[in-house]
Amino acid sequence: MLEELKNKLGEEIERLTHELQVTLPEAIKKAVEHGDLRENSEYKSALEQQQFVQARLNHLTRRAGELSKIDVTQIPADRVGFGSRVTVVDMRTREEDTYSLVFGDFIDIDSLDSGQVSVASALGQALMGKKKGETVTLTLPRGERKLKIKALTTLTQMVESKEDEG
């Protein structure tokens, strides 16, 4: 999961760098050729896009730096943490759900039903640091929800099982 995130980040950084260094300068040059820059919407649009791309690139570069500092061997193998896959049972309804804990800006928008939960969300915060068998209380606007952790696969365990396969 961590390598997948690093690769995804790297691909977006590469795409944005190309846009910033090649595509946008060409668009700005073409807009400048149209003359009077004060009333040139193409020029203004290209500059705004350039600022957006630069900001996004800076953000992604910081996130890539943070990801590179994560040492999988330091993540507890028996507690919920970043990258963990957790199956919980709602103590009232007995419904079962499985979640993967990720950083908020790594949630895959294309598959929102994939069970990804931000570690910063209320659910993510409630689950962090807990072990299999523990019950957590999630405080929501509609009231409290008690969830029991039925199954837990940590990032460390996922990495170890991939190493065993390879």
Side-chain angles (χ1 to χ4, degrees):
M1 175 183 223
L2 194 56
E3 286 306 313
E4 185 180 315
L5 290 175
K6 287 179 184 178
N7 290 339
K8 191 174 177 182
L9 254 184
E11 288 170 8
E12 188 170 357
I13 287 171
E14 191 174 308
R15 183 185 61 76
L16 289 174
T17 300
H18 181 267
E19 184 175 351
L20 191 65
Q21 294 176 350
V22 178
T23 310
L24 287 170
E26 288 174 3
I28 290 170
K29 181 181 176 190
K30 191 180 291 183
V32 167
E33 290 171 357
H34 291 255
D36 190 3
L37 298 181
R38 289 174 294 173
E39 295 180 22
N40 189 327
S41 62
E42 288 176 19
Y43 179 73
K44 288 177 183 173
S45 175
L47 286 181
E48 286 173 7
Q49 180 66 14
Q50 186 180 40
Q51 290 172 339
F52 171 78
V53 169
Q54 185 63 58
R56 179 74 178 149
L57 193 55
N58 289 341
H59 174 74
L60 293 176
T61 303
R62 274 195 313 276
R63 296 304 275 170
E66 291 168 9
L67 279 178
S68 68
K69 293 176 187 173
I70 294 175
D71 182 359
V72 177
T73 62
Q74 298 300 311
I75 297 175
D78 63 341
R79 294 182 180 273
V80 176
F82 167 73
S84 293
R85 189 172 320 125
V86 186
T87 301
V88 296
V89 177
D90 186 304
M91 300 302 285
R92 186 177 54 80
T93 65
R94 296 289 175 216
E95 286 183 30
E96 219 173 270
D97 288 304
T98 301
Y99 303 106
S100 294
L101 273 73
V102 299
F103 292 126
D105 51 352
F106 294 117
I107 290 178
D108 187 358
I109 302 295
D110 296 331
S111 57
L112 286 177
D113 58 344
S114 66
Q116 294 179 331
V117 172
S118 168
V119 294
S121 69
L123 177 58
Q125 289 293 307
L127 292 171
M128 288 296 281
K130 302 296 190 268
K131 293 183 175 184
K132 181 180 173 183
E134 285 190 58
T135 301
V136 299
T137 302
L138 181 61
T139 305
L140 300 169
R142 296 181 306 177
E144 289 189 344
R145 194 172 164 207
K146 293 198 181 296
L147 305 171
K148 183 171 185 169
I149 300 175
K150 178 179 176 181
L152 169 63
T153 307
T154 64
L155 186 58
T156 305
Q157 293 166 334
M158 288 181 225
V159 169
E160 288 173 355
S161 72
K162 284 197 183 225
E163 288 173 355
D164 292 343
E165 292 172 7

